[in-house]
Amino acid sequence: MSVDGWNTVLVLGGIRSGKSEFAESLVAEAPTVRYVATAADAPADDAEWAARLAAHRARRPETWTTEETADDPRRLADVIASAGPNETLLVDDLGGWVTVLLDPAHQPADDTATVAELAAAVRGCAARLVLVSPEVGLSLVPTTPLGRAFTDALGAANRAVADACDAVVLVVAGQAAWLKPGAPQPGVVPAQPGPAPLTATGGPAAATTATGAAGGPVGAAEPAAGVPAPASAEPDGTAWAAPTMTLPVVATGLVIQPGMELPMPDEYAGPQAVERLATLDVPGAGLGALERVVGFAAATQGTATPAPWGSVRVLLLHGDHLGGAAAGSVDGESARRARQARAGRGVLARLAAESGADLQVVETPASAPMEDEPALTGEQVEAALREGWRLAEEAADAGVHLLVLGACGAGTEAAAAAVLAATAGAETPAVLGRVVTDSGEIDDAAWMRRCAAVRDALHRTRRSPRGAKDVLAELGGGDVAVATGVLLGATARRLPVMLDGPVGVAAAMVSRDLAGQARHWCLLADHRGDPAVRLAADVLGLTPLLDVHLDLGEGANALAALPLLRSVLALAAALPARPSPGGGGEDGDDDGDGGPEPGVDTDEPDFREPEPAGPGPTSTEPETEPVDPSGRRAG
């Protein structure tokens, strides 16, 4: 069973309910999907039905493959039963399957036995499986024998498949209601091992729950699987988190493979946090584009009021790329930068110290000239991925709340350009930035040598597979491989990562084929004007929070932006709601107690006209708002 609690799910819904779109969204992050089409082709005289089938085909991504079972409805069970554990299947839909099954061309047949075979195949399916089916139980009993036969057969099929599936969801008017299993009750979701919960000030919260040997709370009830837990409107100390994926382990250790199912951020907390910002007592228009960082932090922390990141760790990857990729680089410069960071000197170390962030320099394998031979061996790729995963787990166990990923090796720009060319079809000259010398001059000759190295590497590998590990071995090299492992490990431990530079975004591109969820845990502070970062961000759907073209070195750009991002999160968590017109909390008294707010100067001069005394006791509260000489409110 996958991380979100289901391996097989049945999506029910009426006509035009949105059931197919919802089913497609469940598998949207899978690197490849096998779409099993059950309906027969439209008759030549039925243009409307043909248009419906064409719309379904047009929605499918190019990476999906299609398999049709209309010729033999009994083959659907065989397709499901033979699917492997690394596959994702989407069957749309059982209504078309029953229609073909009842066709006179396939009669006589034992329809009950065929349905039972399908249910048995679903129950034993090793693949990730989503089935779509019309819900006919809410309609009137058909008046024709054929109509009654269809509803009876489809109803029986739905019941049998629903019983075999891990989860069942009903889609009505585009809204999904999970029927099996039921929704979890607040307060029973077990806390997950990993970063300590954040407090309002951004520091780790004290542990308040006893934990068992496995790291979960003693006596905590298991959450209902397959249903996302609703985010609380206010932080209550509960860690709303799905369990981390249990990875297959073999004799050699961790196995990182395509199609892994890792956690997703909370899909409800992010929108709730952004909606909450509109209610805060802010004098201006608000946080502008930085609202995105609040939504990201809310989704990754699982609360609508996210706290500033307290503990931050910078991973600076150092590993050179040999050959033409490093053309124009000064010999020994990358090693000098790595030594400088270790010694606590230089821009990156100074910014890390000012931000209170840990700085860890990680040595990665040197990469062979990619134009002549693979950058790494297959064994080196596996070891680099495991090392990156270990680094992320180590950070999570230390209570780190945010990772910053950067690199300082020679030739990293060319390696990232080669990865983008292989994974996104990019043209090398369009994504390879200019080579700038120490004196600030542009070295066109070095840039052309780098382009030639990438071109030759792509030509050498033109018939090679384009799987994630193949790309890392042939083109990416050691630093990109370790960075990919970091992203996967951080995703498994629900740890957000701020990318900074070409190596990080190249790793994010590669990680899509291993676990599509990884990109949702990534944040991009600034594209720094780098064409590779711009393109990768566009492909990954990462919008840079800033556009100030910082170019202080990978890792340093992110740290320079970190204080601003922390301030945004602190404001979003601490500001009170805007008082309603005519309600309590006027004149800056947000608590409505009539007293001055903390930090407000009560000695401002009062320019009001004295009120005439009336009968009875007089109030010490002013009837009108105090103003200063410029006409502004005093509060």
Side-chain angles (χ1 to χ4, degrees):
M1 191 172 292
S2 65
V3 66
D4 46 3
W6 59 266
N7 194 64
T8 56
V9 63
L10 173 64
V11 180
L12 298 170
I15 299 172
R16 298 296 191 185
S17 62
K19 59 184 182 296
S20 292
E21 291 89 341
F22 179 82
E24 291 164 7
S25 72
L26 293 178
V27 298
E29 297 300 333
T32 58
V33 174
R34 182 146 53 116
Y35 187 100
V36 183
T38 61
D41 287 335
D45 58 348
D46 195 343
E48 190 272 341
W49 184 248
R52 289 196 182 199
L53 295 180
H56 273 262
R57 295 189 184 102
R59 283 204 309 264
R60 302 171 201 165
E62 294 181 356
T63 57
W64 290 16
T65 59
T66 301
E67 186 164 351
E68 299 185 354
T69 62
D71 293 337
D72 182 9
R74 294 168 184 80
R75 197 166 68 85
L76 178 60
D78 296 334
V79 171
I80 293 174
S82 62
N86 294 328
E87 291 189 87
T88 299
L89 270 62
L90 173 56
V91 178
D92 195 353
D93 69 8
L94 294 185
W97 178 75
V98 168
T99 300
V100 175
L101 182 64
L102 297 179
D103 191 289
H106 301 290
Q107 297 295 327
D110 188 349
D111 299 335
T112 302
T114 305
V115 170
E117 291 172 3
L118 176 63
V122 171
R123 184 173 285 107
C125 181
R128 182 87 155 174
L129 175 64
V130 178
L131 303 105
V132 182
S133 184
E135 172 50 54
V136 294
L138 302 178
S139 61
L140 297 175
V141 176
T143 58
T144 64
L146 184 59
R148 288 192 293 272
F150 174 81
T151 54
D152 290 345
L154 183 55
N158 284 346
R159 290 183 61 180
V161 172
D163 182 68
C165 283
D166 300 323
V168 180
V169 60
L170 175 66
V171 179
V172 180
Q175 307 302 308
W178 291 87
L179 308 180
K180 173 191 178 183
Q185 297 300 317
V188 299
V189 179
Q192 173 181 319
L198 292 172
T199 64
T201 59
T208 57
T209 308
T211 57
V218 174
E222 288 294 324
V227 185
S232 173
E234 298 293 333
D236 58 1
T238 304
W240 293 94
T244 302
M245 170 187 176
T246 302
L247 287 159
V249 177
V250 295
T252 55
L254 184 69
V255 176
I256 298 176
Q257 57 192 359
M260 293 189 298
E261 294 291 342
L262 300 182
M264 283 284 288
D266 191 309
E267 62 179 309
Y268 301 103
Q272 287 176 353
V274 175
E275 290 175 4
R276 179 179 174 273
L277 293 177
T279 69
L280 300 184
D281 191 13
V282 180
L287 299 175
L290 293 179
E291 286 185 350
R292 289 195 298 269
V293 73
V294 179
F296 174 83
T300 54
Q301 294 179 27
T303 173
T305 52
W309 298 298
S311 178
V312 177
R313 176 170 294 179
V314 182
L315 296 179
L316 182 66
L317 309 181
H318 173 241
D320 291 339
H321 296 258
L322 306 179
S329 301
V330 178
D331 291 341
E333 177 64 12
S334 67
R336 185 183 73 85
R337 292 291 183 189
R339 289 195 303 271
Q340 188 181 57
R342 285 195 185 93
R345 299 191 303 270
V347 175
L348 180 60
R350 181 176 292 275
L351 288 172
E354 291 179 356
S355 303
D358 297 334
L359 175 56
Q360 183 176 353
V361 180
V362 180
E363 292 294 334
T364 64
S367 305
M370 60 180 169
E371 63 270 34
D372 299 327
E373 57 184 306
L376 296 177
T377 65
E379 293 76 11
Q380 286 177 310
V381 170
E382 295 288 351
L385 288 171
R386 289 196 295 269
E387 173 64 11
W389 189 295
R390 185 194 65 79
L391 290 169
E393 285 200 325
E394 186 179 77
D397 291 338
V400 171
H401 302 133
L402 176 70
L403 280 177
V404 174
L405 191 57
C408 67
T412 56
E413 296 87 353
V419 170
L420 286 175
T423 57
E427 293 291 336
T428 303
V431 293
L432 187 56
R434 294 292 182 177
V435 179
V436 181
T437 65
D438 289 340
S439 59
E441 298 178 352
I442 294 178
D443 189 344
D444 282 334
W447 178 79
M448 287 187 285
R449 290 199 299 274
R450 293 186 183 186
C451 286
V454 176
R455 177 203 62 198
D456 293 345
L458 294 174
H459 180 76
R460 179 182 60 80
T461 61
R462 65 192 181 280
R463 293 187 178 89
S464 300
R466 285 291 188 252
K469 294 182 180 180
D470 302 304
V471 171
L472 291 174
E474 296 286 356
L475 307 170
D479 48 4
V480 179
V482 171
T484 303
V486 169
L487 295 183
L488 297 173
T491 300
R493 296 300 298 270
R494 308 182 70 87
L495 181 60
V497 181
M498 190 181 299
L499 306 178
D500 190 0
V503 168
V505 295
M509 292 291 293
V510 175
S511 70
R512 294 184 308 165
D513 289 338
L514 296 171
Q517 302 84 3
R519 67 182 178 89
H520 296 282
W521 294 89
C522 295
L523 185 68
L524 185 62
D526 193 350
H527 56 66
R528 49 177 235 169
D530 189 291
V533 177
R534 282 179 179 272
L535 174 67
D538 185 57
V539 174
L540 294 166
L542 300 177
T543 303
L545 299 172
L546 305 176
D547 187 9
V548 292
H549 289 237
L550 287 172
D551 195 7
L552 302 172
E554 293 195 28
N557 305 305
L559 289 182
L562 183 60
L564 173 62
L565 305 184
R566 278 173 164 169
S567 297
V568 166
L569 294 177
L571 278 175
L575 283 177
R578 185 184 302 110
S580 58
E586 295 185 34
D587 302 331
D589 180 15
D590 292 315
D591 55 9
D593 62 0
E597 287 294 297
V600 176
D601 185 3
T602 59
D603 294 332
E604 286 197 56
D606 189 354
F607 294 92
R608 293 170 295 140
E609 292 292 333
E611 294 289 337
T618 60
S619 170
T620 58
E621 283 290 313
E623 294 293 334
T624 59
E625 294 184 344
V627 296
D628 64 17
S630 65
R632 294 192 300 266
R633 292 178 58 185

